[in-house]
Amino acid sequence: MGGDNVTWIKEFILLGLSTDHQIQVGLFVLFGFIYLLTLLGNGLIILLIWLDARLHSPMYFFLCNLSVVDICYTTSGVPQMLAHFLMEKKTIPYTRCATQLFFSLALGGIEFLLLAAMAYDRYVAVCDPLQYVMVMRRGMYVGLAIVSWLIGLANSAVETAVTMSLPTCGHNVLNHVACETLAVVRLACVDITINQIIILVSSIIVLLVPCCLVSLSYAHIVAAVLRIRSSEGRRKAFGTCTSHLTVVSMSYGMALFTYMQPRASASAEQDKMVVLFYAVVTPMLNPLIYSLRNKDMKAALKKVIGKSSV
């Protein structure tokens, strides 16, 4: 009886950010420039860490992973968004929408988990420096990275499968710039309680738990730093954490503001801004934050530039 209602649709139509042609051309130039900066900045970090043996440490291993995630995350959605700025009809096939949703969810979750692993690395470095080499041995930090990737991928596979299996009764217009969970769920013509539970569990696994671990790590770090008597020692200890803490505050702050508020107060426009923040702004800012505040990265860059100019 309801066969027609659950017929699979072949494509989605994305409303995007604006219908004004001039505004869309301006957005194409702006986001295209930001995308190039993201690729160059994160690519440079990966290259420097690979070339300079002094950067072959747990902290920079995690940073390299973070840069790979940022490149993949922004590439999963921004090129399509740029193309849509120049198109009158913004369509995306069902399979590509599902693929985009999977990678955005997976890479977003992996980033939160990696930030928690980096917080643990900083905790050991500051609170137990004499045992750092023993605790953060290769098996430990590689294992933490692998677990972050596996949890992120598994979590995304479940959420994507459940989201994309929702019948929409022929509705295929997404008020968004990309295929995003909440935008797809809004099209559903059936009860979405299961989806809401899965989204909540997913947020707890890849957002709330890592955020609590980061907060706990930094509570111990602050307590340990405050016990250091010399101001120089305190400044040096805080200096090893400031870049990571800046990225953590920026990423978790926006996510907690978005996902921990009542769903009734959330809007499609707000969801668009959040996706743009994570897919466009954050991947561009991360390499700037880490490179501008990090002496080792600056030294590695000077070394590479020096060799290339010889």
Side-chain angles (χ1 to χ4, degrees), residues 55-113:
L55 302 181
H56 295 175
S57 66
M59 183 176 73
Y60 293 107
F61 173 80
F62 288 129
L63 181 55
C64 186
N65 272 263
L66 197 63
S67 289
V68 171
V69 167
D70 282 341
I71 289 175
C72 295
Y73 192 5
T74 193
T75 301
S76 71
V78 173
Q80 172 215 274
M81 185 172 64
L82 292 174
H84 280 180
F85 283 140
L86 304 180
M87 294 180 181
E88 188 173 339
K89 189 178 181 182
K90 302 168 176 56
T91 61
I92 180 171
Y94 175 89
T95 52
R96 189 182 300 172
C97 180
T99 303
Q100 184 183 85
L101 179 61
F102 170 77
F103 281 109
S104 64
L105 286 172
L107 294 163
I110 291 167
E111 177 150 347
F112 287 133
L113 293 163

Side-chain angles (χ1 to χ4, degrees), residues 142-164:
V142 171
L144 287 172
I146 291 173
V147 168
S148 298
W149 281 83
L150 291 178
I151 292 176
L153 291 169
N155 174 73
S156 177
V158 172
E159 191 170 342
T160 301
V162 174
T163 300
M164 297 306 294

Side-chain angles (χ1 to χ4, degrees), residues 123-168:
Y123 159 73
V124 178
V126 174
C127 298
D128 199 4
L130 297 179
Q131 296 296 317
Y132 180 78
V133 175
M134 289 297 296
V135 175
M136 294 305 294
R137 56 193 183 280
R138 182 174 178 80
M140 171 62 83
Y141 64 79
V142 171
L144 287 172
I146 291 173
V147 168
S148 298
W149 281 83
L150 291 178
I151 292 176
L153 291 169
N155 174 73
S156 177
V158 172
E159 191 170 342
T160 301
V162 174
T163 300
M164 297 306 294
S165 65
L166 284 171
T168 63

Side-chain angles (χ1 to χ4, degrees), residues 35-272:
Y35 180 55
L36 288 176
L37 283 181
T38 300
L39 295 181
L40 289 172
N42 285 286
L44 182 60
I45 283 182
I46 294 169
L47 181 64
L48 292 176
I49 293 173
W50 181 57
L51 290 177
D52 197 323
R54 293 173 299 178
L55 302 181
H56 295 175
S57 66
M59 183 176 73
Y60 293 107
F61 173 80
F62 288 129
L63 181 55
C64 186
N65 272 263
L66 197 63
S67 289
V68 171
V69 167
D70 282 341
I71 289 175
C72 295
Y73 192 5
T74 193
T75 301
S76 71
V78 173
Q80 172 215 274
M81 185 172 64
L82 292 174
H84 280 180
F85 283 140
L86 304 180
M87 294 180 181
E88 188 173 339
K89 189 178 181 182
K90 302 168 176 56
T91 61
I92 180 171
Y94 175 89
T95 52
R96 189 182 300 172
C97 180
T99 303
Q100 184 183 85
L101 179 61
F102 170 77
F103 281 109
S104 64
L105 286 172
L107 294 163
I110 291 167
E111 177 150 347
F112 287 133
L113 293 163
L114 283 173
L115 288 173
M118 293 172 78
Y120 176 69
D121 173 73
R122 293 299 83 206
Y123 159 73
V124 178
V126 174
C127 298
D128 199 4
L130 297 179
Q131 296 296 317
Y132 180 78
V133 175
M134 289 297 296
V135 175
M136 294 305 294
R137 56 193 183 280
R138 182 174 178 80
M140 171 62 83
Y141 64 79
V142 171
L144 287 172
I146 291 173
V147 168
S148 298
W149 281 83
L150 291 178
I151 292 176
L153 291 169
N155 174 73
S156 177
V158 172
E159 191 170 342
T160 301
V162 174
T163 300
M164 297 306 294
S165 65
L166 284 171
T168 63
C169 301
H171 302 299
N172 68 336
V173 179
L174 294 173
N175 185 12
H176 218 286
V177 296
C179 284
E180 191 267 343
T181 305
L182 297 178
V184 176
V185 168
R186 286 192 184 101
L187 296 182
C189 55
V190 295
D191 182 65
I192 59 170
T193 302
I194 297 297
N195 294 80
Q196 291 175 325
I197 293 172
I198 289 175
I199 291 172
L200 177 61
V201 172
S202 172
S203 298
I204 291 172
I205 292 172
V206 301
L207 175 58
L208 196 56
V209 170
C211 184
C212 290
L213 293 174
V214 169
S215 300
L216 187 61
S217 296
Y218 273 99
H220 284 287
I221 288 172
V222 170
V225 171
L226 292 177
R227 286 196 297 268
I228 299 175
R229 294 184 178 181
S230 70
S231 58
E232 180 65 27
R234 285 196 297 270
R235 186 164 58 251
K236 186 176 180 181
F238 272 127
T240 66
C241 305
T242 49
S243 297
H244 178 251
L245 191 56
T246 303
V247 173
V248 163
S249 302
M250 189 170 58
S251 298
Y252 284 116
M254 175 67 79
L256 288 171
F257 172 78
T258 302
Y259 291 105
M260 295 303 153
Q261 65 173 311
R263 286 261 47 97
S265 65
S267 67
E269 296 306 313
Q270 180 179 300
D271 289 341
K272 289 181 189 180

